């Protein structure tokens, strides 16, 4: 990761770590998901900087070298978007390009929903924008579709999943998540999801060195910060009632792998491809479905994702 610099700054009341390269160019702010770090964007940081952009990838609150507040309520969508608004200001920018993946995509969607004036254009990966459903809370919805063992449901009770992950090494948990490739969903049965003796074959896009780096950072931060995002899903639903039926008014490109579990939610493919998505994101310019690609798309197809980002943002 030669040439990538690191700094920590006070952002919205917490100490936030960012990785960056290409100071002086237009800012591209890249937001990671779970269980990830700034490190998920290592290839894009270099690729974007090489083309004259200032690539910035924070560890989001609760992750890596960024502070992890203890209260679950400190991980609301307002906190997460507020962090990004503060970071954009600290970077001295009126507007930035934004790229999000997984939870980072959700933060990016809400950044565009709350403050579209801050985003020149958006490239989001994996998680499509689905507007708030006033009829049912999100955790209740996932439980009704997938049952109690679905990972979002299993994450809800404080301390439970942390204890389960703590029974094996952090490296084992990271390997399990990063090698999952079942598009039908992620289930964590109460009778056991992982054991110390499980063996994993790493994909060609992920090395032991990568796993060691990621694991070391999760050993430092723990799991609660990242899991608390999921614990705020229902309270976020309550907080965002004023934005019911609101549209995303930012130029957007969306990319997903056809083996990503997010591309196999009930009805999601019809929604993405038959007009619903475009109705809610009227400035959606392009949808790309990458064949044979799973969830960790910006690492699995690093060069292609970098090219997709560059092809889109150069228009602006």
């Amino acid at each position: 990761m030669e040439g990538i610099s690191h700094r920590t700054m006070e952002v919205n009341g917490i100490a936030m770590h960012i990785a960056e390269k290409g100071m002086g160019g237009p800012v591209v702010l890249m937001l990671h998901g779970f269980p990830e770090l700034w490190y998920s964007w290592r290839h894009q940081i270099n690729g974007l900087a090489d083309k004259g952009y200032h690539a910035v990838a924070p560890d989001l609150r609760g992750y890596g070298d960024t502070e992890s507040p203890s209260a679950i309520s400190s991980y609301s969508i307002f906190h997460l978007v507020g962090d990004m608004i503060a970071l954009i200001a600290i970077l001295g920018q009126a507007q930035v390009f934004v790229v999000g993946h997984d939870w980072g995509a959700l933060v990016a969607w809400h950044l565009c929903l709350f403050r579209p004036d801050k985003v020149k254009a958006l490239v989001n990966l994996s998680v499509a924008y689905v507007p708030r459903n006033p009829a049912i809370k999100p955790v209740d919805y996932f439980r009704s579709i997938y049952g109690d063992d679905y990972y979002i449901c299993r994450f809800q009770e404080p301390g439970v999943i942390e204890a389960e992950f703590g029974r094996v090494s952090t490296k084992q948990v990271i390997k399990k998540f990063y090698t999952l490739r079942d598009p039908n969903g992620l289930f964590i049965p109460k009778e056991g999801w992982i054991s110390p003796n499980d063996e994993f074959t790493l994909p060609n896009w992920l090395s032991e060195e990568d796993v060691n780096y990621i694991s070391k950072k999760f050993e430092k931060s723990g799991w609660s910060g990242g899991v608390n995002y999921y614990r705020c899903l229902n309270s976020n639903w309550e907080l965002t009632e004023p934005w019911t039926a609101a549209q995303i008014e930012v130029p957007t490109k969306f990319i997903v792998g056809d083996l990503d579990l997010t591309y196999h939610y009930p009805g999601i493919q019809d929604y993405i491809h038959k007009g619903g998505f475009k109705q809610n994101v009227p400035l959606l310019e392009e949808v790309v479905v990458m064949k044979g690609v799973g969830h960790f798309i910006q690492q699995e197809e690093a060069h292609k994702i970098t090219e997709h980002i560059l092809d889109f943002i150069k228009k602006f």
Side-chain angles (χ1 to χ4, degrees):
M1 296 298 99
E2 187 177 345
I4 297 177
S5 61
H6 300 265
R7 54 177 165 147
T8 299
M9 57 195 70
E10 286 293 319
V11 171
N12 194 24
I14 62 169
M16 176 167 282
H17 163 255
I18 68 167
E20 61 186 333
K21 189 175 181 180
M23 302 281 283
V27 171
V28 183
L29 181 61
M30 293 177 282
L31 311 180
H32 68 78
F34 176 90
E36 301 180 77
L37 303 162
W38 75 267
Y39 193 77
S40 295
W41 302 107
R42 58 198 180 278
H43 307 294
Q44 286 75 34
I45 291 173
N46 284 313
L48 291 168
D50 288 347
K51 297 295 185 180
Y53 291 92
H54 179 189
V56 179
D59 284 335
L60 298 185
R61 93 166 33 209
Y63 286 91
D65 293 320
T66 290
E67 196 171 332
S68 300
S70 58
I72 293 172
S73 59
S74 294
Y75 296 85
S76 79
I77 196 64
F78 290 148
H79 288 83
L80 305 178
V81 171
D83 292 347
M84 296 306 105
I85 293 292
L87 178 56
I88 291 166
I90 289 169
L91 292 169
Q93 303 297 307
Q95 278 191 323
V96 297
F97 296 110
V98 177
V99 183
H101 172 250
D102 187 75
W103 256 105
L106 284 169
V107 175
W109 288 127
H110 284 86
L111 171 60
C112 294
L113 189 64
F114 301 156
R115 293 298 303 273
D117 58 303
K118 293 296 180 182
V119 185
K120 289 181 191 174
L122 171 68
V123 180
N124 253 350
L125 314 178
S126 293
V127 178
Y129 176 68
V130 178
R132 178 185 182 277
N133 179 354
I136 188 168
K137 296 180 180 182
V139 177
D140 302 351
Y141 168 77
F142 284 114
R143 184 173 282 115
S144 72
I145 297 293
Y146 294 113
D148 291 337
D149 286 347
Y150 193 60
Y151 76 105
I152 290 173
C153 305
R154 289 279 278 121
F155 282 1
Q156 293 304 310
E157 190 172 345
V160 171
I161 206 70
E162 292 94 328
E164 186 159 332
F165 291 167
R167 286 195 283 270
V168 299
S169 71
T170 304
K171 191 178 294 187
Q172 280 290 88
V173 180
I174 291 297
K175 285 184 175 181
K176 177 91 172 185
F177 273 118
Y178 277 67
T179 56
L180 285 169
R181 213 164 172 79
D182 184 355
N184 295 312
L186 170 54
F187 297 89
I188 302 179
K190 295 179 179 67
E191 56 270 22
W193 181 64
I194 189 171
S195 80
N197 302 320
D198 290 344
E199 295 185 3
F200 303 99
T201 301
L202 296 182
N204 60 10
W205 49 267
L206 189 72
S207 68
E208 283 288 347
E209 184 181 8
D210 296 331
V211 171
N212 289 339
Y213 182 89
I214 298 164
S215 300
K216 180 181 176 183
K217 295 303 181 182
F218 274 92
E219 286 167 3
K220 174 185 176 180
S221 67
W223 294 102
S224 291
V227 174
N228 282 341
Y229 287 50
Y230 296 91
R231 293 173 179 149
C232 286
L233 280 169
N234 277 356
S235 58
N236 287 339
W237 178 87
E238 297 175 10
L239 292 168
T240 56
E241 198 279 338
W243 288 270
T244 300
Q247 294 176 316
I248 302 290
E249 300 280 1
V250 171
T252 300
K253 180 175 186 171
F254 179 71
I255 311 170
V256 65
D258 70 345
L259 297 179
D260 194 325
L261 61 85
T262 65
Y263 192 59
H264 293 266
Y265 291 150
I268 193 70
Q269 293 180 30
D270 281 351
Y271 169 77
I272 289 172
H273 299 294
K274 294 185 178 179
F277 193 17
K278 176 70 172 176
Q279 183 175 342
N280 291 314
V281 188
L283 302 182
L284 177 68
E285 295 191 13
E286 188 177 0
V287 171
V288 177
V289 179
M290 300 183 77
K291 300 297 183 184
V293 179
H295 181 65
F296 297 98
I297 188 169
Q298 78 272 45
Q299 299 178 75
E300 185 172 345
E301 290 291 350
H303 178 70
K304 289 181 181 178
I305 292 297
T306 302
E307 290 301 309
H308 276 300
I309 296 168
L310 287 166
D311 286 347
F312 188 63
I313 66 176
K314 71 183 181 184
K315 302 176 186 179
F316 306 94

